[in-house]
Amino acid sequence: MKRILTSIIVCFAAIPAMTQNKADIEVSYSEISFYENGVERGNKYHLLANAGQSKFFNPRSEEIDSLTSTPEGLANFKKTQEAALQAMLAQGSIDVNKLPRKKETLYVVKSAADSTITVYDMIGTDEPVYYTEPYSEMVWEIGDSTKTILGYECIQADTDYHGRHWTAWFTPDIPIQDGPWKFHGLPGLVLEVGTGEGGHGYVADGIEKSDKVITGVYRADTYEKRDRKEILREKRAILDNPMGHLNSKGIKVKVSPETLSKVSKGGDFIETDYR
């Protein structure tokens, strides 16, 4: 199966650019993040990719974005959210995990044609933002170590990127220079990557041939272009003072100091150079 998949991908690389909006592969990744209090958070992401472009996203979040991409669908979804929020307020507490919402708001779109990464995200629950950065910000050093992942022989590579040291494992058997999140630029697909301290990472748990169209982000025109570090600072401020953010939106709630302490110990982002 591995050899067949590799051969198919090599053939796809020769297809004219007019068909390059279709993926050659779809890879599923498990995200692993450890908060400071020792709680592990694992999320699922998919990568649709070909030799020229890719999109990294959470399938459930994209499904919700599809449902709310029309004015009618968005209005209905907001009514559902407001009703759930009011019910929680009536009970005297808010559990955001129980609200109907996207748990993951991140999309990462890569374009080899202009060597650009575009990241779409949210500040809070109602401020869509995006930023771009060049491929050149990620520089790799390839090592000699190898290991097998999903039946593919992978080679180690390391990079220092936006505040963290990363170790990746890529397979030259799949000649697509891409991977989870922003990772790219190695002579093969990244199947596993993690920080040296073990706090963040992505591990591939499935890969298959695909001819799905690599669509754009739903309602991309509603996202405001911002500075990457500025976005992270604002997101950090919300994590450190979530009640202040809610109060600024006109939502008055009372939360114990113990609860606020637990929230503020939620660890740091995947990028730490915003501080």
Side-chain angles (χ1 to χ4, degrees):
M1 177 63 186
K2 181 182 75 172
R3 291 182 180 178
I4 294 174
L5 179 59
T6 301
S7 299
I8 291 173
I9 291 169
V10 170
C11 290
F12 271 122
I15 295 178
M18 60 183 291
T19 63
Q20 288 300 293
N21 63 326
K22 286 190 176 182
D24 294 343
I25 58 171
E26 181 170 8
V27 190
S28 59
Y29 292 92
S30 293
E31 177 196 31
I32 300 173
S33 297
F34 287 94
Y35 287 166
E36 289 178 1
N37 59 9
V39 176
E40 179 180 350
R41 183 189 72 166
N43 298 301
K44 294 291 186 179
Y45 284 93
H46 281 205
L47 175 74
L48 284 174
N50 59 39
Q53 59 186 323
S54 69
K55 181 173 68 174
F56 182 71
F57 61 100
N58 176 272
R60 174 56 179 162
S61 294
E62 185 171 64
E63 180 183 359
I64 292 176
D65 282 341
S66 174
L67 293 172
T68 59
S69 61
T70 65
E72 296 80 9
L74 181 61
N76 289 334
F77 190 73
K78 285 185 175 180
K79 287 180 180 179
T80 302
Q81 286 184 315
E82 290 172 1
L85 181 59
Q86 291 303 319
M88 290 182 184
L89 288 173
Q91 295 176 357
S93 65
I94 294 178
D95 185 348
V96 294
N97 291 319
K98 293 183 180 180
L99 286 173
R101 66 186 181 93
K102 296 188 298 182
K103 292 186 177 180
E104 299 302 320
T105 59
L106 178 74
Y107 291 88
V108 180
V109 178
K110 306 188 192 84
S111 171
D114 52 12
S115 300
T116 300
I117 299 172
T118 304
V119 177
Y120 298 85
D121 206 347
M122 297 285 289
I123 297 176
T125 59
D126 57 2
E127 190 174 353
V129 294
Y130 80 97
Y131 64 89
T132 62
E133 65 182 63
Y135 274 13
S136 57
E137 291 190 15
M138 186 173 290
V139 180
W140 294 96
E141 181 177 344
I142 298 176
D144 299 323
S145 299
T146 64
K147 73 175 180 177
T148 300
I149 302 171
L150 295 179
Y152 293 90
E153 184 176 278
C154 296
I155 302 171
Q156 178 186 340
D158 292 87
T159 186
D160 291 304
Y161 181 73
H162 293 178
R164 294 187 187 273
H165 180 81
W166 294 90
T167 297
W169 298 91
F170 71 95
T171 176
D173 289 336
I174 304 179
I176 291 181
Q177 299 185 18
D178 215 308
W181 191 52
K182 298 181 181 181
F183 297 108
H184 69 278
L186 288 164
L189 181 70
V190 175
L191 295 183
E192 182 178 324
V193 62
T195 54
E197 67 272 19
H200 294 269
Y202 298 94
V203 180
D205 51 29
I207 180 170
E208 60 184 23
K209 181 181 76 70
S210 174
D211 61 358
K212 293 181 181 178
V213 175
I214 304 176
T215 59
V217 174
Y218 284 99
R219 304 181 74 234
D221 59 330
T222 65
Y223 286 72
E224 178 187 358
K225 188 171 185 178
R226 299 279 293 276
D227 176 75
R228 177 180 67 87
K229 292 183 179 180
E230 177 186 334
I231 291 171
L232 292 174
R233 291 187 189 108
E234 291 192 32
K235 288 169 71 73
R236 180 77 255 173
I238 292 173
L239 282 180
D240 289 341
N241 185 14
M243 295 307 105
H245 176 69
L246 289 175
N247 290 337
S248 72
K249 300 294 183 181
I251 302 173
K252 304 299 182 181
V253 295
K254 293 182 179 180
V255 178
S256 68
E258 292 78 11
T259 300
L260 286 176
S261 177
K262 290 179 181 179
V263 173
S264 65
K265 291 182 180 179
D268 209 343
F269 299 128
I270 194 169
E271 297 165 293
T272 63
D273 61 339
Y274 66 94
R275 292 186 176 276

